[in-house]
Amino acid sequence: MGVLDMSNPPPTSQTKDFFPSPALSLSLAGIFRRGAAAANLEVEEGDEGSGGGGAAAASAGGGGRREETVEISSENSGPLRSRSDDMDDYEGEGEQDDGGEDDQNNKKKKRKKYHRHTAEQIREMEALFKESPHPDEKQRQQLSKQLGLHPRQVKFWFQNRRTQIKAIQERHENGLLKTELEKLRDENKALRETIQKASCPSCGFATSAKGPSTASDEQQLRIENARLKAEVEKLRAALGRYTPGTSPSDSSCSAGNEFENRSCLEFYSGIFGLEKSRIMEIVNQALEELKQMATLGQPLWIRSLESGREILNYDEYMKKFPFENAKNAGPKRPIEASRETGIVFVELPPLVQCFMDVNQWKEMFPGRVSKAATVDVVCTGEGANRDGLVQLMFAELQMLTPMVPTREVYFVRYSKQISADQWAIVDVSIDKVEDSVDASLTKCRKRPSGCIIEDKSNGHCKVTWVEHLECQKSTVHSLYRAVVNSGLAFGARHWMTTLQLQCERLAFFMATNVPTKDSSGVATLAGRKSILKLAHRMTVSFCRALGASSYNTWSKITSKSGDDIRVASRKNLNDPGEPLGVILCAVSSVWLPVSHHDLFDFLRDESRRNEWDMMLNGAPAQSIANLAKGQDRGNAVTIQTIKTKDNSMWVLQDSCTNAYESMVVYAPVDISSMQSVMTGCDSSNIAVLPSGFSILLDGVESRPLVITSRLEEKSSEGGSLLTIAFQILTSNSPTAKPSVESLESVNTLISCTLQKIKASLNCED
């Protein structure tokens, strides 16, 4: 039994970042009314086991619904004791059935006899109630003889006591819901006022209520409301979580932890009406499918002769997993399936923990995951490693360009230890959840996907990653159509290469025996870590500003060279990591007939920086610090100094590359602040506003006339998709609006930079 302490209420669900729709508010109001009604239930006579008997059964809202109790202290129950301690109970058994055939008027005239229980009788019944809230017939007979009461009086006292406790629970939970509702209403009002005051980045004037900016904001509100619905569904379930046919003594929850351990089967009412047992059945089925998808070869997976990638034989898949496809003769949406295996430089426990913690998972994939949240915890898992953890999660997946729409997906993540040195991380979408959210949000559905992680000792793990998705068709810019349709954009290879890159970065960050050649220009280990931490924060900020996430509202303009440019503005009011004021971000993507390795090497090379960087005015850049963060020489953080006729400037640059994607991110930094960081001082308050480049394979395995310096790749490597992004501070005042001059500045900056890059790489035509 749990102890409900009204002085220390359980924590509310994490819904502070979201707000309800009007329909959701009505649903909450209905819950409040039902809770209030439960507190004023009348006592009914009858057999406790029958459908119509018992106040507690009436409170539960159904004849067969079981009753649940929670032990409470006398201090908390004091104000409500009139329902049990001071109740004038009915005396005499025969009067209930007497006069069953009399006239209705005669019934109303009959008066029932009541009497008040003594303090001793109440104490004895309270003592038994704490041990057994549902006494059997033998216990009631024994207690009635001991107290000099009729067995029916004892029975009704216990029924009323259970009803009283349920009313206390519901009143407390109603209070929590009311508080949360008021908070959400305030946030809703503030956000709507922000939408009304939104300004157009093209002209600086306020947008109309039905303009494109508002439409995008409303789309964001629907995304947040979808998760909020799941949160409220969880709270609503607390009012009706009593499962028929079970006994409180069977509860697997430990005493005093009822509200903390909502995942126990007795109390868990499920996600959108799904019971925990059904959810566990789904995730265990998905685990078995993932293990086979990760280990089986032909004929399930066939290797492409052209690209060398594995392709799922869908006909064989339908035969192999009939339980997955029993409901549907074929997929509802286009299918994307991919598999990739690789070695990552990290130990098993921290890697598994990264997938269990949604914040660590989002930080591990900053360019892939723009939003992520744990909506509900179905099962907390067992032991210190939380084996068997089951979570309902929401994620918004992106590419590093605003030209490709994001993918929003709800899925259940199951983290299960298979053996002493092997774990499985299983992601699978559940139909009932998909059907319960806004249809405009369900752009992607996960069939059993995830990874099998195997400890290979010496700080390494073997990871086999499987991505199996049903994706709603969406409009994709022609530049990125090939890479998206081929499954490379959101496939297993992209996830795997990103994981390898991030694990290698963490290993180099934690290393204490760094060779001098990998840490030139920085004298101390503390200084090295401080610089690497600042560079990583800069890159994460760049990834967030660059994508098509609902964080950003993009407007399209045309550059002087004819390329499309997308611009978005935001206000920084209190984040010390960026300059305060209005920030304008401009992004453009182009295809270049240059291998992505050559393009990356050109952009990260400080000796060639003056060929494309407009800030230098032709002045050379010189590296004063170079910190390796990976085995590839391109994975490094550098501090570059540029001396012009007028002044001297420092630039912090973070470059990273893998077989699929590369980035060069940089930002000018204050010289004195950077010098203190190099000595090991905290870098969290250093304001940086990053710009840079994202370089991606174009998705076509071989193209003619592709420029590359690597002879072995001339016949196998395609061109590159280059995304260039600049961020500028247009005003130090948060109330200012982007000006036409600022738009002209970023337009000129992007056009001239692209022109210089093409000229330097001999691909102007």
Side-chain angles (χ1 to χ4, degrees):
M1 269 323 121
V3 178
L4 178 63
D5 187 357
M6 301 299 289
S7 65
N8 186 20
T12 59
S13 299
Q14 297 178 0
T15 53
K16 65 179 182 178
D17 296 328
F18 308 98
F19 51 89
S21 61
L24 192 56
S25 301
L26 292 175
S27 298
L28 287 170
I31 297 172
F32 301 153
R33 289 196 295 271
R34 290 197 297 274
N40 297 308
L41 288 171
E42 295 297 332
V43 179
E44 296 179 9
E45 301 179 61
D47 188 3
E48 187 174 20
S50 67
S59 172
R65 190 153 184 160
R66 68 180 287 274
E67 303 156 350
E68 185 51 66
T69 62
V70 174
E71 179 182 341
I72 62 172
S73 62
S74 59
E75 298 85 23
N76 292 335
S77 60
L80 296 174
R81 291 186 65 80
S82 61
R83 296 293 297 166
S84 60
D85 302 350
D86 300 331
M87 171 62 73
D88 292 332
D89 289 301
Y90 171 59
E91 189 176 57
E93 181 177 0
E95 286 195 28
Q96 183 185 11
D97 299 323
D98 191 23
E101 303 296 331
D102 289 351
D103 186 80
Q104 186 68 23
N105 293 331
N106 293 333
K107 283 186 178 181
K108 294 180 180 178
K109 292 179 181 180
K110 289 187 177 182
R111 303 285 296 179
K112 297 177 182 178
K113 298 178 182 180
Y114 294 88
H115 85 278
R116 186 182 301 276
H117 293 313
T118 65
E120 178 64 25
Q121 289 172 334
I122 291 173
R123 277 195 298 270
E124 292 296 329
M125 287 189 287
E126 284 280 7
L128 179 59
F129 184 85
K130 291 181 179 181
E131 297 178 2
S132 177
H134 292 263
D136 56 25
E137 183 66 28
K138 182 178 179 181
Q139 289 175 308
R140 291 200 299 266
Q141 290 284 356
Q142 182 179 354
L143 185 62
S144 63
K145 290 179 181 180
Q146 179 183 344
L147 301 180
L149 297 173
H150 194 280
R152 189 175 294 273
Q153 290 177 286
V154 176
K155 174 182 176 180
F156 289 160
W157 186 91
F158 275 84
Q159 288 179 350
N160 294 340
R161 190 66 169 137
R162 289 191 294 268
T163 302
Q164 178 192 85
I165 288 176
K166 184 175 180 181
I168 292 173
Q169 290 177 273
E170 293 178 341
R171 186 175 294 109
H172 174 65
E173 289 167 346
N174 288 345
L176 297 178
L177 288 169
K178 287 178 181 178
T179 302
E180 198 65 34
L181 181 60
E182 290 301 321
K183 187 188 300 183
L184 293 169
R185 280 176 176 166
D186 292 341
E187 293 179 2
N188 196 337
K189 182 179 178 182
L191 284 169
R192 292 191 180 278
E193 289 176 354
T194 302
I195 293 173
Q196 294 294 330
K197 297 176 182 178
S199 60
C200 173
S202 300
C203 61
F205 292 102
T207 58
S208 64
K210 296 183 180 180
S213 176
T214 303
S216 176
D217 286 323
E218 289 176 354
Q219 172 72 3
Q220 181 179 355
L221 301 187
R222 287 198 297 270
I223 292 173
E224 308 296 4
N225 274 345
R227 181 190 164 192
L228 180 61
K229 288 178 184 178
E231 290 285 347
V232 174
E233 192 74 20
K234 177 184 175 183
L235 294 176
R236 182 185 298 158
L239 300 180
R241 65 181 177 272
Y242 310 103
T243 309
T246 57
S247 169
S249 60
D250 298 331
S251 173
S252 59
C253 297
S254 58
N257 290 326
E258 178 192 1
F259 289 100
E260 289 77 6
N261 194 3
R262 290 288 181 85
S263 302
C264 296
L265 180 57
E266 180 180 2
F267 297 114
Y268 190 79
S269 65
I271 302 170
F272 295 98
L274 284 174
E275 294 294 336
K276 178 185 173 183
S277 58
R278 175 56 183 154
I279 296 172
M280 295 306 298
E281 179 185 349
I282 292 173
V283 297
N284 279 302
Q285 251 181 20
L287 172 60
E288 292 305 314
E289 178 174 329
L290 175 65
K291 288 194 290 187
Q292 295 188 60
M293 291 280 283
T295 56
L296 295 179
Q298 291 188 1
L300 185 62
W301 293 95
I302 301 173
R303 190 168 295 278
S304 169
L305 296 177
E306 297 179 356
S307 64
R309 294 187 293 115
E310 289 184 306
I311 300 174
L312 179 66
N313 182 348
Y314 196 75
D315 291 336
E316 187 66 24
Y317 170 79
M318 295 284 285
K319 297 175 186 177
K320 191 72 178 176
F321 306 105
F323 56 86
E324 170 69 16
N325 304 286
K327 298 180 181 178
N328 307 308
K332 299 177 182 178
R333 306 167 186 164
I335 291 291
E336 293 180 8
S338 56
R339 182 172 72 174
E340 191 76 15
T341 300
I343 300 296
V344 295
F345 194 7
V346 67
E347 294 182 342
L348 181 62
L351 182 56
V352 172
Q353 176 62 30
C354 166
F355 286 96
M356 289 181 171
D357 187 309
V358 68
N359 293 320
Q360 291 185 35
W361 180 61
K362 181 181 176 183
E363 185 178 351
M364 182 68 79
F365 302 96
R368 306 298 319 281
V369 183
S370 54
K371 284 185 180 182
T374 299
V375 180
D376 198 0
V377 177
V378 181
C379 181
T380 56
E382 300 177 355
N385 59 4
R386 296 191 292 172
D387 178 23
L389 175 67
V390 182
Q391 308 169 80
L392 173 64
M393 300 178 68
F394 168 79
E396 182 185 63
L397 309 179
Q398 69 169 9
M399 288 185 65
L400 293 180
T401 175
M403 292 186 174
V404 178
T406 57
R407 292 181 173 183
E408 295 83 15
V409 55
Y410 281 87
F411 59 94
V412 173
R413 172 162 290 174
Y414 183 33
S415 306
K416 182 64 178 175
Q417 186 171 11
I418 302 174
S419 64
D421 58 354
Q422 198 173 54
W423 277 74
I425 308 297
V426 188
D427 294 343
V428 60
S429 294
I430 297 180
D431 288 331
K432 197 154 189 175
V433 175
E434 295 290 319
D435 296 339
S436 301
V437 298
D438 189 341
S440 64
L441 307 179
T442 315
K443 295 183 179 180
C444 185
R445 179 181 180 273
K446 277 182 177 273
R447 292 193 171 198
S449 304
C451 54
I452 305 294
I453 308 172
E454 183 180 356
D455 190 2
K456 304 302 286 187
S457 72
N458 297 325
H460 290 75
C461 287
K462 177 185 176 182
V463 178
T464 302
W465 199 299
V466 175
E467 279 295 306
H468 194 185
L469 311 171
E470 291 179 15
C471 299
Q472 184 174 306
K473 288 185 178 180
S474 58
T475 303
V476 178
H477 194 279
S478 58
L479 280 175
Y480 289 87
R481 201 166 294 155
V483 71
V484 172
N485 293 343
S486 66
L488 289 174
F490 297 95
R493 184 184 180 191
H494 199 171
W495 287 102
M496 176 61 71
T497 54
T498 304
L499 179 64
Q500 290 173 320
L501 184 66
Q502 292 296 322
C503 289
E504 192 176 54
R505 176 188 65 83
L506 289 173
F508 272 71
F509 176 79
M510 299 301 296
T512 56
N513 55 343
V514 182
T516 306
K517 65 182 181 63
D518 291 337
S519 188
S520 63
V522 180
T524 65
L525 186 62
R528 171 186 167 82
K529 286 190 173 183
S530 187
I531 294 172
L532 291 177
K533 189 179 295 185
L534 176 60
H536 180 64
R537 174 165 66 85
M538 177 180 70
T539 300
V540 170
S541 174
F542 177 76
C543 292
R544 177 169 176 168
L546 191 57
S549 169
S550 52
Y551 284 126
N552 307 315
T553 302
W554 297 98
S555 299
K556 182 179 176 181
I557 61 175
T558 304
S559 70
K560 297 178 179 180
S561 59
D563 297 312
D564 289 340
I565 296 178
R566 284 164 171 77
V567 294
S569 63
R570 67 181 187 276
K571 297 177 181 179
N572 181 25
L573 302 177
N574 51 20
D575 182 6
E578 286 186 339
L580 300 180
V582 179
I583 298 171
L584 183 66
C585 179
V587 179
S588 183
S589 297
V590 296
W591 177 81
L592 295 177
V594 182
S595 74
H596 84 288
H597 292 296
D598 286 356
L599 184 55
F600 171 71
D601 288 339
F602 166 72
L603 292 173
R604 74 176 184 85
D605 187 355
E606 69 272 9
S607 65
R608 303 190 66 180
R609 188 182 192 96
N610 58 358
E611 295 183 32
W612 58 265
D613 195 337
M614 301 285 292
M615 295 190 302
L616 273 61
N617 292 321
Q622 182 180 359
S623 177
I624 58 175
N626 191 316
L627 310 179
K629 58 171 191 168
Q631 296 180 2
D632 191 298
R633 59 189 176 86
N635 292 318
V637 174
T638 60
I639 301 175
Q640 301 172 10
T641 178
I642 298 106
K643 295 182 179 180
T644 62
K645 295 179 180 179
D646 301 326
N647 58 5
S648 180
M649 176 176 62
W650 280 17
V651 172
L652 176 66
Q653 178 176 292
D654 185 14
S655 59
C656 51
T657 185
N658 56 45
Y660 180 76
E661 186 177 29
S662 303
M663 276 194 296
V664 178
V665 184
Y666 64 92
V669 290
D670 179 71
I671 295 178
S672 60
S673 299
M674 200 63 206
Q675 287 173 337
S676 66
V677 171
M678 293 173 70
T679 63
C681 294
D682 182 29
S683 62
S684 58
N685 290 325
I686 303 295
V688 291
L689 190 59
S691 298
F693 307 92
S694 169
I695 308 163
L696 196 69
L697 290 172
D698 64 2
V700 179
E701 300 302 330
S702 60
R703 282 184 186 267
L705 303 177
V706 170
I707 303 170
T708 178
S709 61
R710 305 188 183 191
L711 297 177
E712 69 276 9
E713 295 173 349
K714 284 189 176 181
S715 60
S716 63
E717 186 164 347
S720 301
L721 295 171
L722 173 66
T723 298
I724 177 173
F726 288 111
Q727 295 192 95
I728 62 172
L729 184 69
T730 62
S731 175
N732 294 110
S733 172
T735 59
K737 299 175 182 178
S739 62
V740 176
E741 290 77 11
S742 61
L743 289 172
E744 286 291 333
S745 297
V746 294
N747 191 332
T748 302
L749 189 59
I750 285 184
S751 299
C752 293
T753 303
L754 284 175
Q755 185 178 359
K756 285 177 171 288
I757 292 173
K758 291 177 181 179
S760 297
L761 296 174
N762 299 316
C763 55
E764 293 178 280
D765 298 330

